[in-house]
């Protein structure tokens, strides 16, 4: 049995190529269903995100190899004019397993350690399971990948520390004010960056969030989504600056929206109680001189970028631990694959002994009572279980290489005089 993976991702192809190959959920279901129902694959799954579209296939025919699958998906997406086989990567057997483990644990992601990819791989498996294209191999492969991701999350620090500007801003605010639930937050600008920052703040238990935006309806929509329902008119928010412990600015403007004089007045009104200003604007929204005021902590994108770089460096330092976990799981997965090769012999062995048992019991069916026959059957089942325990355990025992499996299988088949293996179970 082999598992092949081919695909395009952020390492092999630019975004315009990834866009051409990406599959929606509906297309994903159709694609894997077609592969399996046509007999080309016995199992199939597709992981399709903005950064990757990857096929995981157990071939159903000898001609289905990596080149065949690349051509198949290019043709399915009608993308021959833009996408070439060179845009794809290839993986086989353990290489496929290692790749999926690396993807699921987020060390193959564009942003090292990002948390979304595991959910996306789970979605891919869910889709394959729903349409019936995930069989024993892909199911085991995916569940092992989920186990790898869980171990990486709990045993390493790969996913710790903010790696986005908005999240780094919130993390910094939490370091300065340990309990955000007690702080009053002003968000100036309800665009994408501001929205993300507000949501991260809310996730860190900040509940007193007030939003102001040039277009008030946008501020109201975000406030309603957060459940805070607190909005200030953009024309008058400066009259309330002294009320806030944390001010986040994320406005598109060429002029500073806050200057030192305004903030000095604000600080006087709040009797110099500390304030942190997180300037997420580019160009900057806040006059850098504000940072020189007493008890005023001003951090712009460059300062936050420095935090992100440090966090990424810490994540990279965790890679040896992650790779060690993956190696450990690969060994277990490889040993499980090898046990599949002994299944027909185990089935044949059990069938042969059951057949012998039934023939012998049949001889006594009319010589003893029904109750006695049941006791005899129970006794023979226990004996057979003990007789077969050792040979089955020996067959399932891990081996150093798959090359050692035939000798074990042949030994058992010869000793117990088993017929040729049942090919349908291999």
């Amino acid at each position: 049995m082999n598992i092949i993976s081919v695909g395009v991702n952020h390492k092999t192809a630019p975004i315009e190529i990834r866009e051409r190959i990406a599959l929606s959920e509906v297309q994903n279901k159709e694609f894997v269903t077609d592969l399996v129902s046509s007999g080309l694959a016995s199992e199939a799954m597709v992981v399709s995100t903005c950064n990757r579209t990857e096929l995981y296939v157990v071939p159903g025919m000898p001609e289905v190899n990596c080149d065949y699958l690349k051509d198949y998906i290019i043709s399915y997406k009608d993308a021959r004019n833009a996408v070439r086989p060179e845009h794809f990567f290839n993986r086989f057997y353990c290489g496929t397993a290692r790749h999926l483990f690396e993807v699921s644990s987020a060390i193959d992601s564009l942003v090292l350690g990002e948390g979304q990819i595991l959910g996306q791989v789970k979605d891919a498996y869910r889709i394959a399971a729903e349409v019936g294209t995930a069989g024993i191999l892909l199911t085991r492969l995916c569940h092992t990948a989920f186990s790898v991701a869980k171990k990486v999350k709990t045993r390493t620090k790969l996913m710790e520390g903010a790696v986005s500007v908005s999240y780094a801003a919130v993390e910094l605010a939490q370091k300065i004010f340990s309990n955000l639930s007690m702080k009053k937050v002003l968000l100036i600008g309800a665009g994408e960056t501001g929205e993300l920052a507000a949501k991260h703040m809310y996730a860190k238990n900040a509940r007193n969030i007030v939003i102001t935006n040039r277009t008030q309806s946008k501020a109201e929509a975000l406030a309603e989504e957060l459940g805070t329902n607190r909005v200030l008119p953009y024309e008058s928010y400066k009259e309330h600056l002294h009320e806030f412990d944390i001010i986040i600015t994320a406005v598109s403007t060429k002029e500073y929206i806050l200057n030192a004089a305004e903030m000095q007045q604000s600080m006087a009104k709040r009797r110099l109680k500390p304030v942190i200003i997180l300037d997420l604007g580019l160009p900057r929204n806040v006059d850098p001189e504000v940072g020189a005021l007493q008890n005023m902590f001003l951090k712009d994108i460059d300062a936050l970028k420095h935090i992100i770089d440090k966090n990424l460096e810490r994540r990279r330092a965790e890679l040896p631990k992650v790779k060690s976990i993956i190696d450990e799981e690969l060994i277990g997965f490889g040993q499980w694959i090898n046990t599949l090769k002994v299944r027909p012999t185990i089935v044949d062995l059990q069938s042969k002994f059951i057949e012998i048992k039934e023939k012998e019991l049949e001889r006594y069916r009319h010589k003893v009572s029904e109750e006695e026959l049941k006791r005899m059957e129970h006794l023979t089942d226990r004996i057979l279980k003990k007789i077969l325990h050792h040979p089955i355990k020996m067959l399932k025992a891990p081996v150093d290489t798959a090359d050692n499996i035939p000798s074990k299988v042949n030994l058992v088949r010869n000793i117990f005089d088993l017929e040729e293996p049942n090919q349908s179970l291999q």
Side-chain angles (χ1 to χ4, degrees), residues 178-193:
S178 57
N179 187 355
L180 295 182
S181 67
M182 305 296 289
K183 300 301 173 186
K184 196 169 180 181
V185 181
L186 174 63
L187 172 66
I188 307 174
E192 185 178 352
T193 302

Side-chain angles (χ1 to χ4, degrees), residues 2-7 55 59 63-72 85 88-92 96:
N2 192 11
I3 309 177
I4 295 174
S5 61
V6 299
L55 282 60
E63 60 267 34
V64 178
N65 54 24
C66 291
D67 290 339
Y68 188 100
L69 291 170
K70 291 173 193 173
D71 189 66
Y72 193 86
F88 288 73
F89 70 84
N90 308 320
R91 298 286 185 278
F92 306 92
T96 295

Side-chain angles (χ1 to χ4, degrees), residues 322-334:
V322 175
K323 289 180 178 176
S324 175
I325 291 170
I326 289 174
D327 287 344
E328 179 185 307
E329 293 289 337
L330 265 178
I331 291 171
F333 182 73

